[in-house]
Amino acid sequence: MTFPESDTVPLATAAQAPWWTRAVVYQVYPRSFADSDGDGIGDLGGIRGRLDYLAELGVDALWLSPVYPSPQHDNGYDISDYQEIEPVFGDLAEFDLLLAEAHERGIKIVMDLVVNHTSDEHAWFRESRSSLTNPKRDWYWWRKPPADGGPPNGWASAFSGPAWTLDEQTGEYYLHLFAKQQPDLNWENPEVRLAVYSMMNWWLDRGVDGFRMDVINFIAKQVDLIDGPAPATGGGSPTGPQIHDYLQEMREAVFAGRTGEHLTVGEMPGVATGDAVLFTDPARGEVDMIFQFEHVRLDQGANKFDVLPRSLRALKKNLAHWQDGLAETGWNSLYLNNHDQPRLVSRFGNDTVWRYESATLWALVLHLHRGTPYIYQGEEIGMTNVRFDSIDDYRDLESLNHYREAVDEFDLDPGSVLAGVQTMSRDNARTPMQWDASAQAGFTTGTPWLPVNPNHTEINAAVDRAAERSVFRFYQRLIALRHESPVVALGEFTLLEPEHELLFAFTRHLGDETLLVVANASDSPLDSPLPVDVSGAELVLGNYPALGAGSGLGPWEARLYRL
Ligand code: TEU
């Protein structure tokens, strides 16, 4: 196969490219990572105690899900004080210690910025709701009841039910695209924007290295829709055009003039590649990269819990669509799971017979795409979904609200609704990190807030790292490869055999170097010849012991060649 000389060196030469093009980020869900005080909830002390583990893995930065004070209705994504630490996780002194010890190991810390909404217990909202004339009334979205007394429009909350709640205190509705305990901030109000920028500067002055920005595209409401007729379907406000102004203003107010290496990644449900180019074009000064959702919605029907059959063809084409969309300008994040998604080996692989092979196949495939890979805690040891037999064992607000609405309001069969929750619930990713085979998997000496997955006796960091076939060691190799090889970070991506339903194959090309990935994403051997002659190629990495034996691929076998 001849490769067209890439006439555009993507992004920049390796030396000039930003640090995050060569970096791998590890997401810590603090509540479930490591508990240092025995209360059954993970905390900052627990994370500090595992920094050597993370340094050994080789990651460059940690993204901490929220650790600020919160009533915990949405496990911390309902923040009641942006400049403190939730006591259950620790305090600011412990945070500073964690930050210092992470930096000592060359690991950056990125905070979760949740500013589309606050908690209903935040002082800002308590003031805003106190009276129609309170100076902070316009910090949130309030509307008088329409003539029929119902909500102002037909928007639905992402967590079931309407996106408006009537506040008896002043007889007006307030907007919440998520839970009613998460009222949306009004970003049209410059006072809100300035307060957020001030808080961001406070954290950067403290030494943090950037932000993951929660549903940041939702902060720009299409105001005419709020006051216009109810949209035909439910759902919240599509992103308004002013989002670009807000992000450029934020960049200028918070990062301009700062030295050092920072990272901003915007979580943006519903964004397409054309928007993503605008958001991540370095010349526009908005964000460095975004989390888009197209690939993790391919197996969802009417809603997240309406699970459709998976298609490799659809998945690899969508990932390639994003590679092509941002090849010239902008930058991709790369993820297959996080605290909101099921575990990748259960969703995209085979988490029983071929767990090691499928976990490492998806690791190789994802980490050899062009973009910044994100590892979700436990992914690096092949942790799987959990399966609770009763809805009463689930804790996730999204899952519980969905179940209640589906069964109580829509009268759907409880068994089939529970099956959807078992497959897609966010709790699949939130069972405690499995450190060893002891009673609570080494996560806590107390009673965990969410039961430990019973399979922790076989699947845990201690066993995996000592194993001949170690998922952890495989991730170590991939991370090291990204650090060492500009072609991994910057090389041009070309998908091969796009119509093949079992084979995932692609090349990466930079200068005179070409890498080839071939992967058999199925439970059966794939005997067809590889799409490229590899007879003279170097086998760089594979997940089968007899590396490179023959041209066929075993079940869930993945190989990386240097051509
Ligand atoms: O999630 C944004 C979001 O769109 C979620 O509804 C997500 O799509 C869904 O859970 C996938 O099933 C962010 C945070 O990641 C999530 O944990 C929060 O609950 C949510 O925002 C509200 O802050």
Side-chain angles (χ1 to χ4, degrees), residues 7 147 152 154 156 242:
D7 51 7
Q242 67 275 38

Side-chain angles (χ1 to χ4, degrees), residues 443-457:
F443 163 71
T444 179
T445 55
T447 304
W449 70 277
L450 185 68
V452 170
N453 192 320
N455 67 15
H456 76 276
T457 49

Side-chain angles (χ1 to χ4, degrees), residues 124 126-138:
W124 297 347
R126 286 206 305 271
E127 286 184 50
S128 179
R129 79 186 314 177
S130 65
S131 81
L132 294 175
T133 57
N134 182 282
K136 283 196 169 51
R137 188 69 177 181
D138 193 31

Side-chain angles (χ1 to χ4, degrees), residues 27 29 63 65-66 74-78 112-117 158-159 177-179 182 212-218 267-270 291 293 296-297 300 304-305 335 338-342 347 396-398 424-426 430:
Q27 180 191 358
Y29 193 69
W63 150 29
S65 277
D74 189 16
N75 287 2
Y77 282 90
D78 49 323
D112 210 318
L113 182 76
V114 186
V115 290
N116 171 70
H117 48 271
F159 293 157
L177 297 183
F178 292 93
Q182 295 170 293
R212 174 269 188 185
M213 303 178 180
D214 192 64
V215 289
I216 198 67
N217 56 318
F218 287 6
E267 183 202 32
M268 299 198 179
F291 290 132
F293 281 62
V296 291
R297 286 188 171 162
Q300 297 176 6
K304 167 178 185 172
F305 301 94
Y335 76 96
N338 57 35
H339 66 293
D340 290 333
Q341 301 293 333
R347 185 180 194 179
D396 168 29
L397 176 70
E398 179 187 51
M424 299 300 283
S425 172
R426 303 191 296 181
R430 299 176 179 186

Side-chain angles (χ1 to χ4, degrees), residues 388-408:
F388 296 131
D389 292 332
S390 162
I391 192 64
D392 298 334
D393 295 324
Y394 286 90
R395 293 290 175 275
D396 168 29
L397 176 70
E398 179 187 51
S399 305
L400 294 173
N401 287 1
H402 162 73
Y403 182 89
R404 199 169 298 118
E405 181 180 71
V407 171
D408 298 347

